[in-house]
Amino acid sequence: MGTPETRSNGQRLLTVGDVRLCVETFGEQGDPALLLIAGTSGPMDGWDEGFCQLLASGGRYVIRYDNRDTGQSTSYPPGAPPYGFDDFVDDAIGLLDALGVERFHVAGGSLGGAVARGLALRQPERVQSLTLLSSTPLAPGDPRDPTLPPPTAAFLEFAGAERPAPDWGDRQAYIDNYALWDRQFAGPDYFDEDKARDYAGRVFDRTLDIHAASVNHSASSRGTTQIRARHAEITHPVLVIHGTEDPILPFRHAQVLAHELPHSKLLPLAGVGHQLLPHEFWPIVATEMLDHTGRG
């Protein structure tokens, strides 16, 4: 694996259907394309620039973008998003079309993992491999499964406590709120408050409407698309990466996901929670992803 010397090709806004999506690429367009999809309320920043450079230096054309209602992409009034899960899949397809990318590898984090599987089912001939991070067998439109473990009791107690909503117009209030929740999401050994606050500040500064970005994905329509029932149709190589201390989607979700997808490999990240990929794990995860996308 090379050193992370590959620089960004710059950010730009592309019209995709009825939205404008902010996209940034790294590396050479002639290299194998790797689309990175963030999770709920996640802008492109969820895929760290340094990690993208690491992948690009390994010979991948890396594409990250702001989901609708995050970052610089089209935003809607807080609490009233006129879209659902299928629109996230449509956005990814339209973005790749606008970039002129025919075949691609795709990596999705959390909700982005469901979007990635939706892409593989919608356009299987274009997808070469999937990488699913901190994800679950369930997609929003799937029936709930009581055999999958719920969030931990400690997280549910924290999430259920009454606390005032932050002042969404106040940068410091947003940063404080993000760090408060990130501490609960992260594995105890991998919560870095300084990095969490730096990330939150950068996201606040480049987001059109931080209130909408924080609440609209969760308020959007779950839709009726059932993905889990079609897992057997996903015959692409799949790399499942999951933290062993994930309090939201406990590690069992990853084990079941890897079991249900025919050609999958599971990479546990010891001690990691439901969080941005800790810097300590960049080398191993980048190496695994480069190897995986080289075989797709």
Side-chain angles (χ1 to χ4, degrees):
M1 184 175 63
T3 55
E5 297 175 349
T6 305
R7 297 292 177 243
S8 166
N9 298 318
Q11 296 182 10
R12 50 181 164 150
L13 285 168
L14 296 177
T15 299
V16 175
D18 61 349
V19 297
R20 286 171 66 78
L21 300 177
C22 184
V23 60
E24 183 175 24
T25 64
F26 301 80
E28 302 295 329
Q29 192 163 7
D31 287 338
L34 174 54
L35 178 70
L36 306 178
I37 307 175
T40 301
S41 299
M44 68 170 71
D45 308 77
W47 296 94
D48 192 277
E49 180 178 3
F51 185 70
C52 292
Q53 292 170 348
L54 198 59
L55 293 171
S57 71
R60 300 295 178 267
Y61 179 56
V62 178
I63 305 163
R64 67 174 188 169
Y65 67 102
D66 292 328
N67 284 310
R68 60 171 67 201
D69 251 330
T70 72
Q72 293 290 301
S73 293
T74 296
S75 184
Y76 300 89
Y83 57 81
F85 174 75
D86 289 346
D87 294 295
F88 290 120
V89 180
D90 290 339
D91 289 349
I93 292 172
L95 179 69
L96 291 162
D97 290 343
L99 290 171
V101 174
E102 179 55 33
R103 301 190 71 201
F104 55 93
H105 304 270
V106 57
S110 196
L111 175 65
V115 177
R117 285 177 286 143
L119 281 172
L121 291 169
R122 182 90 66 83
Q123 296 193 336
E125 71 287 351
R126 296 180 69 181
V127 174
Q128 295 179 283
S129 76
L130 289 85
T131 300
L132 311 174
L133 297 93
S134 304
S135 197
T136 172
L138 299 175
D142 290 327
R144 301 298 92 182
D145 181 352
T147 69
L148 289 171
T152 64
F155 180 81
L156 290 175
E157 181 181 359
F158 172 83
E162 290 190 14
R163 59 179 60 86
D167 178 352
W168 298 108
D170 185 315
R171 185 179 191 271
Q172 190 59 51
Y174 173 77
I175 292 173
D176 291 344
N177 186 67
Y178 179 88
L180 178 71
W181 281 86
D182 192 51
R183 182 184 293 276
Q184 306 304 315
F185 280 103
D189 293 336
Y190 292 103
F191 174 69
D192 186 318
E193 183 154 359
D194 290 339
K195 288 183 178 178
R197 289 179 173 276
D198 177 70
Y199 171 82
R202 286 187 283 111
V203 169
F204 184 93
D205 291 342
R206 63 175 301 273
T207 298
L208 296 179
D209 187 333
I210 201 69
H211 187 187
S214 300
V215 303
N216 278 0
H217 283 188
S218 296
S220 65
S221 168
R222 303 175 72 87
T224 58
T225 300
Q226 294 187 15
I227 290 178
R228 190 181 186 188
R230 299 179 62 192
H231 274 175
E233 298 175 41
I234 300 177
T235 57
H236 312 79
V238 179
L239 176 61
V240 177
I241 304 173
H242 209 98
T244 62
E245 298 300 319
D246 190 326
I248 313 300
L249 300 172
F251 189 67
R252 179 63 182 160
H253 286 250
Q255 293 174 314
V256 173
L257 183 59
H259 175 74
E260 292 182 357
L261 295 169
H263 303 290
S264 62
K265 172 183 177 180
L266 176 58
L267 174 64
L269 302 182
V272 175
H274 199 86
Q275 61 188 111
L276 302 179
L277 183 64
H279 193 275
E280 296 92 328
F281 289 89
W282 285 13
I284 186 173
V285 172
T287 297
E288 290 284 347
M289 288 179 66
L290 289 172
D291 178 67
H292 178 66
T293 56
R295 295 184 293 108

